[in-house]
């Protein structure tokens, strides 16, 4: 079986490399020649732990290749995965399907009979049926199967998630598509990984509903954190206790500055937009979207107010990526918080172990630093935005000595009172009691 992977972004590259690891012949296609050149040279174009080793090994062994030639690749492929971007459309929040449609048109022109076309991109309900009709209209005499196979990869853990998933969701319209997917995922099937074979529409809804629910959990615990701050509670104790309830679960109950990344913001907007479009308003998720945007603004306001009170003129920001173990800054809280700090007249000194290059492209006026200690040097306030392990191991006494002020905002609740003992820092976190100057 030969697999074509259209798109070498986050989902496409991880999926293509991991399918090659399963033993299939995989060709990854991208329109950008510079990306293909880097991949052909063995350079991973995204930061994802473990991906570089798999890419180099499978390319060396001849199972994984990269090209800009879509037509030739599709013409020789048995299974064609579409993993192109579906960004939020301006104005209404719906997923922008222009790249899906463009890929479908090129696939239709080149595919061989009985090809299996699989949309792995996150798409709104009805997209697979529309694409199927679009391709059938372009090539009415060529039989093919249409499959929806949404991904559930966590950035920073994507390789592990692909190779050892909780489940595989496959939406099909015929038996041939289902049989092809069982063959593609046979290594997981042998490990008794649950495979849910359902309709195209169900698979599309499952993906959006899953992400919307997880985003809702994040938003819920952030509001619990606000309550704890006002009522004298500790959100970590509350989250730990409610997370022990098997009906709730402990994951995604970590208070912070709001969710970001390539999935939750985009998918919640699209999910809500779909509800409005079909006259089934998803009011709960619409509120999640609104609350999350307010959350990021309120975090910036906390820092700005503290700067006014202390006379601080500069802020050290530790962490730009939306989460650790990735260089992805798409809709990261930092992209809202840093401009708000700058607008208030504060100088921002920033550090991130992996996301500096991405940050430099979209955050003008920031002083970029090579280390966390360089960033805090002379800063009136330090703001921890991403819970990288490197920051967990910071020498807080050294941080205090380097800073011109003493205020540390920890928006990820990385540290505890014991960590602060003797540091001389004034510590503020999220949803937990204040820790005063720890002399």
């Amino acid at each position: 079986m030969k697999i074509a992977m259209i798109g070498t972004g986050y989902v496409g590259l991880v999926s293509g490399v991991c399918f090659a690891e399963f033993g299939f012949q995989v060709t990854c296609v991208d329109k950008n020649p510079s990306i293909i050149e880097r991949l052909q040279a063995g350079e991973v174009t995204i930061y994802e732990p473990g991906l570089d080793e798999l890419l180099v090994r499978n390319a060396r062994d001849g199972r994984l290749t990269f090209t800009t030639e879509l037509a030739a690749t599709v013409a020789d492929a048995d299974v064609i995965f579409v993993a192109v971007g579906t960004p939020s459309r301006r104005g209404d929040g719906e997923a922008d399907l222009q790249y899906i449609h463009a890929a479908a048109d090129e696939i239709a022109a080149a595919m061989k009979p009985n090809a299996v076309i699989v949309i792995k991109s996150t798409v709104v309900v009805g997209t697979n049926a529309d694409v199927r009709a679009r391709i059938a209209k372009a090539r009415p005499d060529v039989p093919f199967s249409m499959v929806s196979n949404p991904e559930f990869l966590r950035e920073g853990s994507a390789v592990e998630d692909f190779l050892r998933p909780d489940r595989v969701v496959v939406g099909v319209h015929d038996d041939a598509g289902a049989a092809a997917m069982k063959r593609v995922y046979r290594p997981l099937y042998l490990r008794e990984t649950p495979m849910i074979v359902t309709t195209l529409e169900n698979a599309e809804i499952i993906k959006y509903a899953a992400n919307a629910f997880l985003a809702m959990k994040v938003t819920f615990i952030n509001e619990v954190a606000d309550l704890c701050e006002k009522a004298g509670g500790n959100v970590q104790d509350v989250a730990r206790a409610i997370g022990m309830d098997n009906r709730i679960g402990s994951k995604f109950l970590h208070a912070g500055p709001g969710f970001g990344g390539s999935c939750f913001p985009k998918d919640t907007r699209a999910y809500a937009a779909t509800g409005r479009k079909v006259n089934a308003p998803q009011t709960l998720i619409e509120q999640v979207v609104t609350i999350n945007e307010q959350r990021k603004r309120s975090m910036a306001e906390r820092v700005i107010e503290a700067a006014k009170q202390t006379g601080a003129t500069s802020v050290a920001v530790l962490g730009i990526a939306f989460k650790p173990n990735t260089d992805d800054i798409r809709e990261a809280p930092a992209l809202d918080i840093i401009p708000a700090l700058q607008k208030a007249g504060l100088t921002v000194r920033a550090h991130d172990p992996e996301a500096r290059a991405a940050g430099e492209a979209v955050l003008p006026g920031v002083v970029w630093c090579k280390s966390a200690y360089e960033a805090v040097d002379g800063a009136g306030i330090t703001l921890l935005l991403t819970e990288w392990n490197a920051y967990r191991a910071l020498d807080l006494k050294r941080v205090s000595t380097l800073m011109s002020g003493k205020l540390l905002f920890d928006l990820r609740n990385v540290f505890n009172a014991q960590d602060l003992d003797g540091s001389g820092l004034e510590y503020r976190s999220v949803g937990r009691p204040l820790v005063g100057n720890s002399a």
Side-chain angles (χ1 to χ4, degrees), residues 123-185:
V123 294
V124 296
V125 64
T127 300
N128 277 269
D130 289 344
V131 169
R132 178 172 174 252
R134 188 183 187 104
I135 294 174
K137 182 178 180 180
R139 297 287 298 280
D141 299 326
V142 179
F144 68 96
S145 295
M146 193 77 212
V147 175
S148 174
N149 177 216
E151 53 82 21
F152 298 94
L153 306 178
R154 298 169 298 165
E155 295 193 39
S157 308
V159 171
E160 181 70 13
D161 287 348
F162 193 100
L163 299 177
R164 294 171 181 80
D166 295 327
R167 80 290 199 200
V168 174
V169 175
V170 174
V172 301
H173 86 279
D174 62 18
D175 292 339
M181 288 298 97
K182 287 181 179 179
R183 185 178 173 191
V184 165
Y185 284 108

Side-chain angles (χ1 to χ4, degrees), residues 45-350:
T45 50
I46 59 173
Y47 178 75
E48 181 61 40
L51 186 61
D52 51 353
E53 179 183 345
L54 293 184
L55 185 148
V56 170
R57 181 169 71 235
N58 284 282
R60 179 196 63 209
D61 293 345
R63 290 187 298 271
L64 180 65
T65 56
F66 303 95
T67 182
T68 58
E69 299 299 324
L70 187 147
T73 301
V74 166
D76 194 39
D78 302 298
V79 180
I80 305 154
F81 283 88
V82 178
V84 297
T86 53
S88 289
R89 195 166 65 191
R90 290 185 178 181
D92 58 11
E94 286 198 33
D96 187 341
L97 302 177
Q98 62 172 311
Y99 304 113
I100 293 285
H101 291 154
D105 292 344
E106 292 191 62
I107 290 168
M111 67 181 185
K112 65 183 181 181
N114 300 312
V116 178
I117 301 168
V118 187
I119 293 187
K120 204 155 190 59
S121 305
T122 301
V123 294
V124 296
V125 64
T127 300
N128 277 269
D130 289 344
V131 169
R132 178 172 174 252
R134 188 183 187 104
I135 294 174
K137 182 178 180 180
R139 297 287 298 280
D141 299 326
V142 179
F144 68 96
S145 295
M146 193 77 212
V147 175
S148 174
N149 177 216
E151 53 82 21
F152 298 94
L153 306 178
R154 298 169 298 165
E155 295 193 39
S157 308
V159 171
E160 181 70 13
D161 287 348
F162 193 100
L163 299 177
R164 294 171 181 80
D166 295 327
R167 80 290 199 200
V168 174
V169 175
V170 174
V172 301
H173 86 279
D174 62 18
D175 292 339
M181 288 298 97
K182 287 181 179 179
R183 185 178 173 191
V184 165
Y185 284 108
R186 188 168 183 269
L188 302 182
Y189 196 71
L190 294 175
R191 296 176 193 166
E192 299 185 346
T193 300
M195 177 177 284
I196 300 167
V197 180
T198 184
T199 66
L200 296 172
E201 292 78 11
N202 280 345
E204 293 163 334
I205 295 173
I206 286 167
K207 168 62 176 180
Y208 274 117
N211 277 356
F213 187 85
L214 295 176
M216 182 180 65
K217 285 187 75 173
V218 174
T219 301
F220 172 78
I221 204 62
N222 282 339
E223 292 212 313
V224 172
D226 289 342
L227 177 62
C228 287
E229 289 174 0
K230 299 293 185 180
N234 184 321
V235 70
Q236 288 183 315
D237 291 343
V238 173
R240 183 163 54 250
I242 65 175
M244 290 177 181
D245 187 327
N246 290 332
R247 298 168 300 173
I248 297 173
S250 61
K251 294 182 178 179
F252 293 89
L253 289 179
H254 303 285
F259 58 76
S262 63
C263 293
F264 285 5
K266 171 178 68 72
D267 292 354
T268 49
R269 288 193 295 265
Y271 186 76
T274 298
R276 293 191 297 269
K277 184 177 181 179
V278 300
N279 198 29
Q282 302 296 298
T283 53
L284 183 58
I285 301 307
E286 288 178 355
Q287 283 301 304
V288 166
V289 173
T290 299
I291 293 168
N292 191 64
E293 292 303 311
Q294 293 171 342
R295 181 78 178 173
K296 291 183 281 189
R297 290 194 295 270
S298 70
M299 294 297 106
E301 290 165 2
R302 292 187 187 193
V303 179
I304 293 167
E305 182 59 30
K308 292 177 180 178
Q309 293 175 356
T310 62
T313 59
S314 63
V315 178
V317 174
L318 304 184
I320 303 299
F322 84 96
K323 64 182 290 188
N325 296 323
T326 181
D327 60 354
D328 194 345
I329 66 169
R330 284 175 287 183
E331 303 210 41
L335 300 190
D336 290 275
I337 292 172
I338 287 176
L341 300 181
Q342 292 173 315
K343 187 176 181 180
L346 296 166
T347 298
V348 174
R349 301 169 56 82

Side-chain angles (χ1 to χ4, degrees), residues 320 329 335 350 352 355-369:
I320 303 299
I329 66 169
L335 300 190
D352 189 286
R356 173 174 175 170
E360 285 179 323
V362 296
L363 291 170
V366 171
V367 179
W368 293 96
C369 302

